[in-house]
């Protein structure tokens, strides 16, 4: 009799645990299903979205770690990833060229948030930016007019996420679309936006302060991608060897760059281009500093982490 009771009790406990497990599984599934599904072209934008929305969003990155946004081609699985997303984040058509064709054929182009469009930017550089560039290039008494090549010396820097003020505008756009998807959470989402914007102000102030000793020092870059950061944090614009990665550098341009880079502290290069950049660093007698613009390091979890490591790399570059 006692044995039967114990068997009954054990069976009842087991059944209760199974039921509890099923209930919890359904709750977890429902929670996951209720998350806003965001697909980001590059990891820095994914970090910003996750940083902003936290557990209320599932954020994925389309571009693999070993790929360049300039030369990438979407696979069918990645097209499905974009189509299934509630929100698609990108910087600019000229940067993520792999999204141009997809966006034209997309069933839901209204889901796309393009940072460049949110900023109201145009491809042509404004007169103020012309003046700012010319001032930065001639400030040192050298001819720095070949920073991006004669044919694109005034091209817009599309690494727009490197400026916290731009990120605040992106965050506002993300929250705008999130409210459309979750109108009942409007008050909470707006509160998250205000908190995040304040955090961005603090990030810009603290990193600008760290870089303040170097505001008159200039540096070289393997490719043109640092002016947005420089302008946000009070630095001189980088003297860039190429406008985009993998661009062939002519002997004529190398000769001109010798003068432009005279007195530069170092040459910055992304990890994927460091091997090629080393040759030019030796040629111009500059130390080479690798920098992680695409946030490939998995330990970078927040935008604060991201800007901190960029600031550290630039500080190392500009320090004697």
């Amino acid at each position: 009799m006692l044995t039967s009771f114990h068997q009954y009790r054990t069976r009842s406990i087991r059944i209760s645990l199974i039921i509890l497990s099923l209930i919890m599984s359904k709750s977890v599934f429902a929670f996951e299903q209720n998350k806003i599904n965001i697909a980001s072209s590059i990891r820095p934008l994914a970090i910003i979205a996750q940083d902003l929305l936290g557990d209320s969003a599932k954020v994925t990155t389309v571009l693999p770690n070993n790929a360049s946004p300039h030369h990438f081609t979407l696979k069918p699985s990645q097209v499905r990833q974009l189509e299934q997303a509630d929100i698609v984040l990108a910087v600019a058509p000229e940067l993520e060229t792999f999204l141009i064709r997809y966006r034209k054929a997309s069933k839901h182009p209204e889901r796309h948030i393009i940072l460049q469009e949110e900023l109201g930017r145009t491809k042509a550089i404004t007169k103020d930016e012309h003046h700012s560039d010319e001032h930065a290039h001639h400030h040192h008494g050298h001819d720095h007019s070949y920073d991006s090549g004669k044919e694109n010396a005034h091209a817009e820097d599309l690494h727009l996420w490197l400026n916290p003020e731009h990120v605040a505008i992106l965050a506002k756009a993300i929250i705008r679309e999130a409210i459309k998807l979750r109108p009942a959470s409007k008050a909470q989402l707006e509160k998250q936006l205000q908190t995040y914007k304040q955090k961005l102000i603090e990030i810009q102030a603290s990193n600008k302060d760290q870089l303040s000793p170097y505001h008159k020092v200039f540096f070289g870059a393997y490719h043109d991608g640092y002016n947005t950061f420089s302008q946000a944090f009070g630095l001189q614009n980088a003297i860039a060897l190429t406008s985009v990665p993998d661009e062939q550098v002519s002997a004529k341009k190398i000769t001109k760059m010798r003068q432009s880079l005279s007195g530069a502290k170092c040459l910055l290069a992304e990890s994927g281009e460091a091997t090629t950049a080393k040759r030019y660093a030796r040629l111009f007698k500059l130390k080479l500093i690798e920098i992680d613009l695409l946030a490939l390091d998995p330990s970078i979890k927040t935008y604060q982490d991201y800007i901190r490591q960029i600031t550290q790399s630039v500080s190392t570059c500009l320090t004697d």
Side-chain angles (χ1 to χ4, degrees):
M1 184 75 176
L2 190 59
T3 302
S4 298
F5 173 75
H6 281 304
Q7 289 175 341
Y8 172 77
R9 185 180 178 188
T10 301
R11 188 163 56 248
S12 297
I13 292 172
R14 188 178 295 126
I15 292 170
S16 297
L17 288 172
I18 291 170
I19 292 171
L20 181 61
S21 177
L22 288 171
I23 292 171
M24 290 179 67
S25 296
K26 286 183 178 180
S27 298
V28 170
F29 178 75
F31 178 72
E32 289 295 322
Q33 287 293 99
N34 195 47
K35 286 186 176 184
I36 298 171
N37 184 8
I38 299 178
S40 171
S41 60
I42 57 174
R43 189 162 184 258
L45 300 190
I47 288 171
I48 292 163
Q50 197 74 73
D51 210 12
L52 172 65
L53 294 173
D55 291 338
S56 63
K58 176 187 176 184
V59 186
T60 57
T61 303
V62 176
L63 188 74
N65 274 4
N66 60 348
S68 164
H70 302 284
H71 308 297
F72 184 64
T73 301
L74 288 170
K75 297 177 182 177
S77 60
Q78 291 158 333
V79 172
R80 286 194 297 273
Q81 178 185 354
L82 290 165
E83 283 297 320
Q84 292 168 2
D86 298 313
I87 298 172
V88 175
L89 300 179
V91 181
E94 296 90 339
L95 182 75
E96 302 110 329
T97 53
F98 63 92
L99 283 178
I100 294 175
R101 186 180 300 175
Y102 164 73
R103 193 184 182 199
K104 288 179 180 177
S106 173
K107 298 174 184 176
H108 304 288
E110 74 282 356
R111 297 179 183 176
H112 293 227
I113 296 176
I114 311 299
L115 178 53
Q116 184 186 51
E117 294 175 4
E118 294 296 332
L119 293 173
R121 303 288 290 269
T122 60
K123 294 179 184 178
I125 197 165
T126 64
K127 289 182 180 180
D128 285 345
E129 288 171 322
H130 269 300
H131 175 74
S132 175
D133 284 350
E134 289 166 4
H135 174 75
H137 296 159
H138 293 290
H139 189 74
H140 312 285
H142 299 289
D143 177 13
H144 295 156
S145 60
Y146 295 95
D147 62 326
S148 299
K150 188 174 181 180
E151 68 282 359
N152 49 38
H154 299 298
E156 179 186 7
D157 176 20
L158 296 174
H159 297 71
L160 302 171
W161 66 90
L162 289 169
N163 185 338
E165 293 177 9
H166 295 172
V167 173
I169 293 170
L170 176 63
K172 183 178 179 181
I174 293 171
I175 293 298
R176 179 191 69 216
E177 297 306 311
I179 289 171
K180 292 178 185 177
L181 295 163
R182 304 288 186 272
S185 302
K186 182 175 185 290
Q188 177 59 34
L189 289 167
E190 288 178 341
K191 183 179 179 181
Q192 286 174 232
L193 175 61
Q194 294 309 313
T195 300
Y196 196 63
K197 286 169 71 175
Q198 182 57 42
K199 184 189 293 185
L200 290 170
I201 291 171
E202 293 167 3
I203 289 170
Q204 184 163 13
S206 62
N207 286 275
K208 192 171 185 178
D209 183 62
Q210 184 177 338
L211 291 167
S212 61
Y214 312 113
H215 73 277
K216 291 185 178 180
V217 184
F218 76 102
F219 58 99
Y222 177 66
H223 86 266
D224 195 12
Y226 303 91
N227 289 352
T228 297
F229 181 85
S230 294
Q231 290 161 14
F233 294 96
L235 298 174
Q236 299 293 325
N237 285 346
I239 311 304
L241 184 61
T242 66
S243 58
V244 294
D246 304 325
E247 180 184 330
Q248 294 298 314
V249 183
S250 67
K252 182 179 179 181
K253 186 171 184 180
I254 288 174
T255 300
K256 292 174 179 177
M257 288 298 292
R258 285 185 188 278
Q259 182 179 2
S260 297
L261 287 168
S262 174
K265 287 293 183 181
C266 77
L267 188 71
L268 282 177
E270 293 185 59
S271 301
E273 61 195 21
T275 301
T276 305
K278 280 179 184 177
R279 182 164 66 89
Y280 293 105
R282 287 195 298 267
L283 187 65
F284 299 124
K285 295 182 172 57
L286 298 172
K287 64 180 177 181
L288 180 69
I289 301 296
E290 292 186 30
I291 195 165
D292 189 5
L293 286 188
L294 291 178
L296 303 181
D297 182 351
S299 69
I300 299 172
K301 302 294 185 183
T302 67
Y303 187 69
Q304 185 173 13
D305 294 340
Y306 174 70
I307 290 296
R308 185 187 295 121
Q309 63 89 19
I310 296 288
T311 296
Q312 185 56 52
S313 295
V314 173
S315 297
T316 302
C317 166
L318 297 177
T319 303
D320 289 325

